Structures are given as structure tokens and as C-alpha cells.
Amino acid sequence: MNFRTRFNITETATEALIKFMKLVLCEVAGKDFDDFPGSLYLARKKLGLSDQFHSFVPCPKCHKLYQNQEVTNFQQEGNPTIMNCQHIEFPNSSLRRSRLCNTPLSQIISAKRTIIRPNLIYPFSGINQQLASMFLRPGFEASLRHWANRASYDNIMTDIYDGSVWKSFKEADDEGSENFFQNEVADSHLELILNLDWFQPYDSTIYSIGVIYAAICNLPRDIRFKRENLLTLGILPGPSEVSLHKINHYLAPIIDELKSLWDGMTYRTYECQEGRKIRAALILILCDIPAVRKICGHVSSLVACHICEKRGIMRIGSIISLEWMT
Ligand SMILES: [Zn+2]
């Protein structure tokens, strides 16, 4: 499995490799290797390797999220049944007709045992659990502190730390409060950049998948976007890019976590085994322009972001132009 991670080998190739290894081992040593896993699934199970993703079921039409269990275990009068979306897009609007979405969220794939499978899956991985494991790595906190001791030059912007937002961002809404980014808290007050990228995973067909991930600005730029330092938050299912206001449904669980991180979470860290309070702020969204509009242009009568304020949007715009300049 280390070999697979190191050389970025696909699941299909790993599966074939495991099967080949089992064949060779059984040929050479016979019964001793009967227990050797014959598939990637069994190898993962044997080694106790599981991913940390939580599965939501999005509605294919309005993209409202549902819990996987709620959809796959849905019953009516004691019988497993396909659940329909209960979302109402304009519940209080006097101008638009409120309409129940009612789109089927799943399908029955086996009539004999009535197995219900969701039509779409949104794998989501929490920021908290990923940050907690990063803080246990040796050297991680030292990397976060690097910016406090860096050389700076007058009137030359070399990194995000030279920008006015980094220098003046407050730790509370009150303008008279202390700055959020200070040398004493260089490794416990984090700035996150949220990214959304769409890509085509398959060559032969048009199918877009989106990934929402976050980078930690406190880290030096040369390691900031390395895979091991990125927080992969959610994978938006295809087949096409989610429209303007509907992306909020996918952002909702991320925003809930960001709110708790703004207040502060206590993690056991490599340097402080008793635990220390870590805070984080999201003050930058970095992605292509249409995607930016999707994230920060969403305050509308349709689905308003449940915490975003207009002030935040204006800030986002101004920081993006700064990032481009630097
Ligand atoms: Zn729906």
C-alpha cells in the first residue's frame, strides 16, 4: 500500500498487482498464503485502512444534502422505498411559487433483496479531523511559525503576509480588538484558503467533478500546496458543474466546521501533548473566476449562505486581486 501511495498507482492496477502477488505466493508457498487478500477491498480490510470521508447524498436536481443512512434505509409502511427530495426552494417567497423538489434520490438495484443505492454521493471529510492529524506530525508547528521570522522588504509584496489583510485582520468583529495574526500565535492562528476546481476525470467522455480543498497560508509557499498539507474537504459529483446558488448546499457542512474553528478547537499536538487551542479563519478564496462567483456571489433570494455577510464578499474580491498582483 505504501508502494501504491508513493507511485500514485490506480485502484485497477493495484487490484491486479494484489491478485498477481497472491497467485505467486500460493504457487510458491501453497496453503500458507490462503489468507493473503485477493482484492484491494480485502487488503484494505485486513490492514485496517479506511478513508475518513463521510457520505452525503445530494439531490440530483436541487443539490440539497441528505444523510446516506436516511436515504438507503428509507421505508414506507415497513417496506424499503425510494426517497424523494423534500426540499422547497422558495418556502417564503411571495413572488415565486414554492414547489417541492420531489426528485428521486436513489434507485433500487436488486429487486430480490431490495437494495437501495443513492443516485449521487458527496464524499465529505472534516477539516477538524485532518488538522488534528497534521498537528501530530513532527515539524508541522515549526513550519507554521516560519512566517513570523521571515525577512520582509519595504514596499515589495512577496507573499500573502505582506498584504494589508494579513496585517490588520482582527480576532473579533470589534475593530478595536487585537490582530488575529501575531508572532506569539504564529502556529495556532491559521489562515485557510478555500479552493474549488472542476476537472474531467475521464478521457473519453464529458463529465466534470469538483473538488473543494483548503490550503494553510501559515505554511511556507514551497510546501503550502503539497498534497500532504492540503485539506481535501469535499468531492462534488458530476456530471456537470453545479449552478450558481446550489453550491451552497455543498458548502454548508464546511462552513459549520469553519465556525467552530473560528471559536477555537483544542488539539493534542506534537509539541504540546496536553493539547492547545487552535483557531482558523477563512479569508481567501482562490479559484477561477466563474467558481469564485459561485462561492461568493451566492447571497440571493434562492439559497442564502447561512453565515456569509456582504462584507465578507467584498473582502474576498479585494484579496483576490492582491494575490494576483503578487
Ligand atoms: Zn431536490
Side-chain angles (χ1 to χ4, degrees):
M1 296 310 263
N2 281 335
F3 185 78
R4 166 173 150 75
T5 312
R6 187 171 165 197
F7 296 106
N8 207 10
I9 297 172
T10 63
E11 293 211 345
T12 321
T14 315
E15 180 94 13
L17 187 64
I18 289 171
K19 283 188 163 60
F20 175 70
M21 283 163 73
K22 174 150 186 162
L23 209 69
V24 172
L25 290 168
C26 290
E27 197 64 39
V28 173
K31 281 195 178 313
D32 288 356
F33 283 94
D34 274 357
D35 286 348
F36 190 86
S39 68
L40 183 56
Y41 170 77
L42 290 173
R44 280 198 182 118
K45 205 170 160 191
K46 196 135 194 152
L47 294 167
L49 300 172
S50 59
D51 63 47
Q52 303 286 312
F53 281 96
H54 175 87
S55 290
F56 286 105
V57 175
C59 166
K61 189 177 172 197
C62 72
H63 297 272
K64 165 85 181 158
L65 298 185
Y66 292 86
Q67 294 293 338
N68 196 355
Q69 297 286 324
E70 185 187 359
V71 175
T72 49
N73 297 335
F74 185 72
Q75 295 191 347
Q76 267 180 341
E77 295 166 2
N79 299 317
T81 313
I82 290 173
M83 182 176 163
N84 288 350
C85 178
Q86 298 301 303
H87 185 59
I88 300 173
E89 192 127 58
F90 313 109
N92 304 316
S93 172
S94 55
L95 299 172
R96 302 190 194 225
R97 210 173 46 154
S98 59
R99 211 170 28 205
L100 186 69
C101 175
N102 220 21
T103 307
L105 299 169
S106 55
Q107 54 183 297
I108 292 173
I109 55 162
S110 166
K112 259 191 232 161
R113 281 178 48 229
T114 320
I115 297 172
I116 291 184
R117 193 177 67 184
N119 290 329
L120 290 177
I121 287 283
Y122 170 52
F124 168 79
S125 182
I127 304 174
N128 274 319
Q129 66 186 30
Q130 294 183 69
L131 270 183
S133 61
M134 282 180 180
F135 269 96
L136 287 172
R137 293 197 321 229
F140 183 72
E141 287 151 290
S143 297
L144 291 174
R145 287 193 293 267
H146 92 102
W147 67 269
N149 305 314
R150 62 193 278 277
S152 65
Y153 310 94
D154 288 344
N155 300 323
I156 299 178
M157 288 187 168
T158 59
D159 208 325
I160 197 162
Y161 321 115
D162 299 318
S164 62
V165 172
W166 185 276
K167 289 175 182 168
S168 61
F169 192 77
K170 301 294 179 193
E171 66 170 17
D173 279 342
D174 175 16
E175 278 301 314
S177 61
E178 296 270 307
N179 283 346
F180 187 71
F181 301 109
Q182 295 189 55
N183 290 1
E184 302 77 50
V185 288
D187 57 354
S188 62
H189 281 194
L190 311 181
E191 183 197 299
L192 303 178
I193 325 176
L194 195 65
N195 301 260
L196 166 63
D197 275 330
W198 291 92
F199 64 98
Q200 303 257 357
Y202 311 117
D203 281 341
S204 52
T205 174
I206 296 172
Y207 196 102
S208 282
I209 285 182
V211 177
I212 303 177
Y213 58 99
I216 304 165
C217 291
N218 303 52
L219 289 172
R221 206 167 43 207
D222 56 333
I223 61 166
R224 197 179 294 159
F225 289 95
K226 294 236 172 197
R227 189 193 290 185
E228 62 271 22
N229 295 325
L230 288 175
L231 304 151
T232 307
L233 306 179
I235 301 169
L236 276 62
S240 50
E241 295 187 17
V242 179
S243 65
L244 190 68
H245 62 279
K246 292 174 181 168
I247 212 160
N248 284 313
H249 293 302
Y250 295 102
L251 292 176
I254 297 172
I255 290 166
D256 288 340
E257 279 209 302
L258 286 170
K259 279 168 72 181
S260 64
L261 268 164
W262 172 245
D263 296 333
M265 299 289 293
T266 302
Y267 299 140
R268 196 165 62 83
T269 74
Y270 184 78
E271 291 180 13
C272 184
Q273 292 291 317
E274 310 85 67
R276 55 192 298 222
K277 189 175 172 182
I278 307 296
R279 291 186 65 190
L282 172 74
I283 59 172
L284 180 61
I285 298 177
L286 249 190
C287 42
D288 58 85
I289 285 294
V292 169
R293 273 197 283 111
K294 276 177 188 167
I295 287 185
C296 62
H298 60 236
V299 182
S300 68
S301 62
L302 304 176
V303 186
C305 166
H306 62 298
I307 64 155
C308 189
E309 296 170 14
K310 254 195 165 146
R311 192 176 54 135
I313 297 165
M314 286 156 69
R315 252 186 201 162
I316 287 163
S318 59
I319 306 165
I320 283 171
S321 48
L322 169 71
E323 178 75 11
W324 281 348
M325 280 162 59
T326 59

